[in-house]
Amino acid sequence: DDPPQGLGQRTLFLARQEGDPCIAALADLGVEGQGSQVGDLPLLGRLAGAIPQYLGIARDSPEALEELLRAGLASDVLVSSAGVSVGDRDFVRPVLEKLGCRLEFWGVQMKPGYPLAFGVFPEVISGLNPLTFGLPGNPVSAMVTFEQFVRPALLQMAGHTALHRPTLDVTVGNTLRKKTGRLHFVRVTL
């Protein structure tokens, strides 16, 4: 089935098709019936060559999340959005670890997008060894981390060599301040 379009996405799973990269995404892990904070992850996935299949809503419990993450183990790439930070209802990391995911890192020195998690499932557990990305729940953070981490992975899996968008050097008209060692992605108008 095709996933619903636009806001309101909660969970999607991209089915494996021969020769195509796939992605599984769990968006905003909130209350059933409310719209997603994340936006259109299926569209982003499609633009990177993935094929989405809707799974349903991940209710705000470790058990519901585990059920959906387990279903996503048949994909090449598993992506969740929200629930990856350190709040009372942020269950993604512990549930992934319970399922056997080896988290390679959590937290990147970038803004927006700090609470990003990345891990792999050893082949002996899932048989497929999906790459796993836990994106932040903030819509802008999710979009930036998708663009910087997930999209290049999907493109590389599809055999592309140009993994990042072109860049342009510009002079900023205002003073920008940031912490040393932290990469900032700033919205601009050209």
Side-chain angles (χ1 to χ4, degrees):
D1 293 338
D2 287 333
Q5 299 298 310
L7 294 178
Q9 301 267 86
R10 293 298 194 150
T11 304
L12 62 124
F13 170 76
L14 304 173
R16 178 188 291 266
Q17 292 196 358
E18 194 170 323
D20 289 332
C22 302
I23 181 174
L26 301 165
D28 197 18
L29 307 177
V31 179
E32 186 173 6
Q34 292 183 359
S36 173
Q37 294 180 44
V38 176
D40 203 343
L41 283 177
L43 175 61
L44 294 176
R46 279 191 196 105
L47 291 174
I51 303 168
Q53 179 185 355
Y54 184 66
L55 276 184
I57 294 171
R59 290 193 169 81
D60 207 1
S61 75
E63 298 78 19
L65 181 58
E66 181 178 345
E67 182 179 336
L68 292 173
L69 286 172
R70 190 176 297 282
L73 292 179
S75 65
D76 295 314
V77 179
L78 182 63
V79 179
S80 68
S81 181
V84 74
S85 195
V86 293
D88 293 346
R89 296 177 184 256
D90 290 330
F91 304 125
V92 171
R93 287 185 300 147
V95 169
L96 284 172
E97 288 174 327
K98 178 182 176 187
L99 290 172
C101 182
R102 183 180 69 234
L103 291 178
E104 301 292 335
F105 66 81
W106 178 78
V108 290
Q109 292 300 314
M110 63 184 273
K111 182 178 181 179
Y114 174 80
L116 172 75
F118 173 76
V120 293
F121 282 88
E123 198 167 333
V124 295
I125 293 174
S126 69
L128 294 174
N129 198 13
L131 299 178
T132 305
F133 295 90
L135 307 182
N138 174 281
V140 174
S141 296
M143 299 274 289
V144 169
T145 52
F146 186 95
E147 186 68 27
Q148 293 300 308
F149 295 92
V150 181
R151 182 178 175 275
L154 292 171
L155 291 172
Q156 185 171 20
M157 291 172 71
H160 297 277
T161 55
L163 305 180
H164 297 280
R165 297 194 189 276
T167 60
L168 178 66
D169 291 331
V170 297
T171 302
V172 178
N174 297 331
T175 301
L176 300 176
R177 290 180 171 69
K178 69 177 197 72
K179 291 182 181 179
T180 303
R182 181 183 253 187
L183 180 61
H184 275 216
F185 291 89
V186 181
R187 295 177 220 177
V188 298
T189 303
L190 298 178

